[in-house]
Amino acid sequence: GAGVSQSPSNKVTEKGKDVELRCDPISGHTALYWYRQSLGQGLEFLIYFQGNSAPDKSGLPSDRFSAERTGGSVSTLTIQRTQQEDSAVYLCASSPGRGASPLHFGNGTRLTVT
Amino acid sequence: AQSVSQHNHHVILSEAASLELGCNYSYGGTVNLFWYVQYPGQHLQLLLKYFSGDPLVKGIKGFEAEFIKSKFSFNLRKPSVQWSDTAEYFCAVKQNTGGFKTIFGAGTRLFVKA
């Protein structure tokens, strides 16, 4: 596609439920990143994929968070047993890979945990 | 640990005023440096980047940034701001070795009064 696509754009869920957030990167982009944007907190790094492997998952806040990427393309971020503090905008970005290539961002998924 | 600091969280300027947003990073290795902008209701997009060569880089819409290696800084400047520059600005650092992780600062919200 022309850009990074994320779905859903908005998600409201009850505390304790699991949610899945999807990211479709730009075709051919080998690197894929997940960030979390909270008010006043900037962009918090969650996890980074190169191809299907995740060399750096150091930003995942807890073991309730997991992510996978299949076929070097689509990625899913899963949050289990959601908590109110998980409410944020979850951003996905992709890039051609190493070097100075910048990130291309999707519009994000706004997650609200009630 | 690698980190990025943006000194100003909120900046209010009148049109035609000059702008300088500070950014410092902590990482001893080779880095690529970026400024991203998020206009109201839009996704993050690249403003400019530095990867090598001339430390003064020019981006879109009249923005420029200077990389000062000895100070670990990459400040963003614009001689004369416009109302349409109202946005949130993020400084980002990408490691050029190892994990190629991109870390963002907390962001600076700029409001330009017409």
Side-chain angles (χ1 to χ4, degrees):
Chain A
V4 177
S5 177
Q6 291 188 246
S7 61
S9 54
N10 278 284
K11 178 72 178 178
V12 180
T13 190
E14 291 180 352
K15 178 181 171 181
K17 301 278 190 181
D18 298 352
V19 294
E20 279 191 358
L21 311 180
R22 177 188 167 104
C23 173
D24 238 306
I26 292 172
S27 178
H29 280 193
T30 58
L32 186 148
Y33 300 75
W34 283 99
Y35 292 89
R36 180 166 69 176
Q37 186 176 23
S38 305
L39 196 62
Q41 299 297 315
L43 271 72
E44 177 188 3
F45 170 81
L46 298 179
I47 188 170
Y48 152 71
F49 288 92
Q50 183 63 38
N52 289 338
S53 64
D56 193 331
K57 51 180 79 171
S58 62
L60 294 177
S62 73
D63 58 9
R64 296 186 294 105
F65 287 72
S66 63
E68 64 175 17
R69 188 180 186 193
T70 54
S73 181
V74 172
S75 176
T76 302
L77 177 68
T78 301
I79 309 173
Q80 294 179 308
R81 306 180 302 283
T82 51
Q83 304 294 313
Q84 287 186 331
E85 60 264 27
D86 299 335
S87 296
V89 176
Y90 289 82
L91 292 170
C92 177
S94 70
S95 81
R98 301 179 177 185
S101 47
L103 303 182
H104 298 259
F105 283 88
N107 286 329
T109 293
R110 181 174 297 278
L111 174 67
T112 304
V113 182
T114 61
Chain B
Q2 185 182 10
S3 65
V4 180
S5 296
Q6 291 184 239
H7 313 304
N8 313 98
H9 296 295
H10 291 91
V11 174
I12 300 175
L13 294 173
S14 297
E15 275 197 315
S18 64
L19 170 73
E20 181 159 3
L21 302 182
C23 173
N24 285 88
Y25 65 94
S26 64
Y27 181 68
T30 305
V31 295
N32 301 134
L33 301 162
F34 305 83
W35 277 95
Y36 288 85
V37 60
Q38 187 171 30
Y39 296 104
Q42 297 186 26
H43 62 269
L44 276 152
Q45 56 189 283
L46 180 70
L47 198 57
L48 49 75
K49 68 177 183 181
Y50 169 83
F51 59 97
S52 68
D54 189 345
L56 184 64
V57 292
K58 296 189 185 297
I60 60 172
K61 302 186 180 184
F63 285 90
E64 64 179 33
E66 185 175 13
F67 169 49
I68 302 179
K69 189 174 181 180
S70 60
K71 295 185 178 180
F72 297 88
S73 71
F74 190 55
N75 292 355
L76 181 71
R77 299 193 292 249
K78 185 169 183 179
S80 175
V81 294
Q82 300 173 308
W83 175 80
S84 58
D85 294 325
T86 294
E88 189 160 16
Y89 294 82
F90 294 90
C91 180
V93 175
K94 181 180 183 182
Q95 296 171 213
N96 214 13
T97 55
F100 301 98
K101 183 166 67 177
T102 300
I103 299 295
F104 285 77
T108 298
R109 286 182 181 270
L110 171 66
F111 180 73
V112 180
K113 298 184 291 186

